Amino acid sequence: MKARDRRLLDELERALARGSGLRLAYQPKVATDDGRLVRVEALVRWTHKELGPVPPTAFVPLAEEHGLIDQLTQWVLRTGLRQWREWQREGLETSLAVNISAVSLEHLDFPDLVERLCRALGMPTDRLVLELTEGATQPLIKLMDTLTRFRIKGVGLAVDDFGTGYSGLIQLRRLPFTEIKIDRQFVTDLPHSRDDAVIVRSVVELAHGLGLQVTAEGVETVEQLAILRRLGCDLVQGYLLAQPLEAKELVPWASRHKRRWKLLVRPPEDPH
Ligand code: C2E
Ligand code: MG
Ligand code: MG
Ligand code: MG
C-alpha cells in the first residue's frame, strides 16, 4: 500500500472512532412533473485537519479494500437517519437515499441491522432507498439474497451510475430494484448528442416496462432538464437543481426551489 493510502486509512479509522471530521452533504432529487422534492441523497464528506477535504472517491474504495467500509456505512446510515428525523420534525417531507458499497451487502444480516436502525429512529423502511453501484468485479446478481431481504422489508433499491457497470436492463429484470439512476455521462451531452438521447429514451422505456422509477443524475442545464422531461425521466438530480447541501440548508433551499422551478421549466421565449 502507498504511504499516503496508509495514512488516509489510519486517519479515517480515527475519524470513525471519534466521529470527528466526517459529515454528510445532502443532494435533492426532484420530480420532473411538478418539481416537488422526492428524495435527498446523503453523500459523505471528510475534512482532515491537515490534509484538508478528502473526496469520497479517494477514501471509500480504500475503506472497502481494508475492512473499514461497514463501520463507515453504519456511520452514514445513523447520521442520515437522524437527520431525516430532524427534517420530519421541521415539517419537511422527503425520503432518504444512502449509497451502499456492494461489500456491505455480502453480510446476510445487514438488512436486519438496517431495519432495527430504522425502527430505533422512527423511520418507516419505505422512506429509505439504498443506492448501489456495480463493482468492477462483482455483478449485482451475486447479491440477490441480501437485496431480496431488503425488498421484503420495504426498503427501496436503486442502481446507481446505470450504464457504467455490468448489467443491462435484461439482467436487472431478475433483481428486485425499484429505481435506476442514469449515469451523468449520458446526460452531459444532451441536447446535442442524438445517441445519448436515444439511449436515455430506451432506458426509460424499458425501465418503465419493468416498473422501475428512472432518475437522471448530473443535470446541469435547463436544456438538459427540458429533454429529460420530454424523454419521460421521473426524477432529476444535479447542480441545476442543487449542489450537495449542508443539512441546515435544505429547508431554505426547498422554499426557494418552489419558486425557481417555474422558471426552470418555462418554455424558451420565442425570438420573433
Ligand atoms: P454518486 O452516488 O453517483 O454521487 C454523485 C456524485 O456526483 C457526487 O459526488 C455528487 O456531488 C456529484 N454530482 C451531483 N450533481 C452533479 C452535477 O450536476 N455535475 C457534476 N459534475 N457532479 C455532480 P461525490 O459526493 O464526490 O461522490 C462521489 C461518489 O462517491 C458517489 O457517486 C458514490 O458512489 C460515492 N459515495 C459518496 N458518499 C458515499 C457514502 O456515504 N458511501 C459510499 N459507499 N459511497 C459514497
Ligand atoms: Mg449515489
Ligand atoms: Mg450516481
Ligand atoms: Mg456517479
Side-chain angles (χ1 to χ4, degrees):
M1 200 189 321
K2 282 183 269 166
R4 185 185 152 86
D5 287 354
R6 180 76 259 163
R7 164 131 199 241
L8 277 184
L9 209 55
D10 289 345
E11 298 286 351
L12 181 62
E13 189 161 17
R14 222 161 294 162
L16 279 166
R18 294 202 213 106
S20 67
L22 289 167
R23 62 179 209 289
L24 293 180
Y26 298 91
Q27 191 179 31
K29 294 190 199 179
V30 310
T32 49
D33 54 359
D34 61 1
R36 71 188 179 284
L37 173 66
V38 171
R39 211 172 347 276
V40 170
E41 177 179 1
L43 294 160
V44 69
R45 295 290 177 262
W46 180 27
T47 307
H48 186 269
K49 291 188 301 298
E50 289 141 34
L51 303 169
V54 187
T57 45
F59 68 85
V60 171
L62 270 181
E64 286 174 353
E65 275 167 55
H66 300 281
L68 273 183
I69 192 64
D70 291 337
Q71 233 178 306
L72 179 65
T73 302
Q74 287 185 32
W75 182 88
V76 170
L77 277 166
R78 264 200 315 278
T79 308
L81 265 62
R82 281 200 195 111
Q83 184 56 54
W84 177 87
R85 188 175 54 178
E86 206 45 55
W87 286 325
Q88 192 77 3
R89 284 193 186 127
E90 294 172 42
L92 186 88
E93 269 302 322
T94 182
S95 54
L96 181 78
V98 175
N99 293 284
I100 302 287
S101 159
V103 180
S104 295
L105 294 173
E106 286 167 16
H107 312 298
L108 278 175
D109 57 352
F110 185 48
D112 285 333
L113 192 145
V114 172
E115 184 179 45
R116 280 200 299 277
L117 201 58
C118 284
R119 198 175 301 141
L121 290 166
M123 180 198 246
T125 45
D126 65 3
R127 309 256 69 200
L128 180 65
V129 175
L130 307 181
E131 296 193 1
L132 312 169
T133 307
E134 278 188 306
T137 55
Q138 195 172 34
L140 289 169
I141 192 96
K142 286 204 180 158
L143 306 169
M144 179 73 124
D145 288 347
T146 319
L147 296 177
T148 305
R149 286 178 194 210
F150 270 118
R151 270 314 289 149
I152 289 169
K153 295 180 190 301
V155 174
L157 299 170
V159 187
D160 208 341
D161 304 330
F162 184 75
T164 62
Y166 260 92
S167 303
L169 280 162
I170 307 302
Q171 287 93 308
L172 279 185
R173 81 182 194 290
R174 290 188 284 150
L175 290 162
F177 281 96
T178 54
E179 176 184 347
I180 280 181
K181 296 187 77 178
I182 299 180
D183 190 64
R184 190 168 77 221
Q185 77 177 84
F186 303 107
V187 172
T188 305
D189 295 331
L190 298 176
H192 313 291
S193 163
R194 263 191 57 102
D195 288 355
D196 288 343
V198 168
I199 291 170
V200 171
R201 186 195 305 273
S202 21
V203 171
V204 169
E205 243 175 60
L206 273 159
H208 283 172
L210 297 172
L212 306 176
Q213 209 173 26
V214 183
T215 300
E217 59 175 31
V219 181
E220 296 183 351
T221 70
V222 287
E223 291 79 15
Q224 290 165 348
L225 176 63
I227 296 223
L228 291 163
R229 293 179 78 213
R230 201 161 65 230
L231 295 177
C233 274
D234 306 292
L235 305 174
V236 280
Q237 186 179 31
Y239 295 165
L240 176 68
L241 293 320
Q243 303 255 340
L245 303 169
E246 296 298 320
K248 63 175 190 316
E249 294 176 316
L250 195 72
V251 172
W253 171 85
S255 56
R256 280 200 312 278
H257 168 75
K258 271 190 192 144
R259 295 188 298 272
R260 191 168 164 255
W261 175 257
K262 297 190 190 77
L263 301 174
L264 293 179
V265 296
R266 197 171 52 181
E269 267 169 43
D270 194 337
H272 303 294

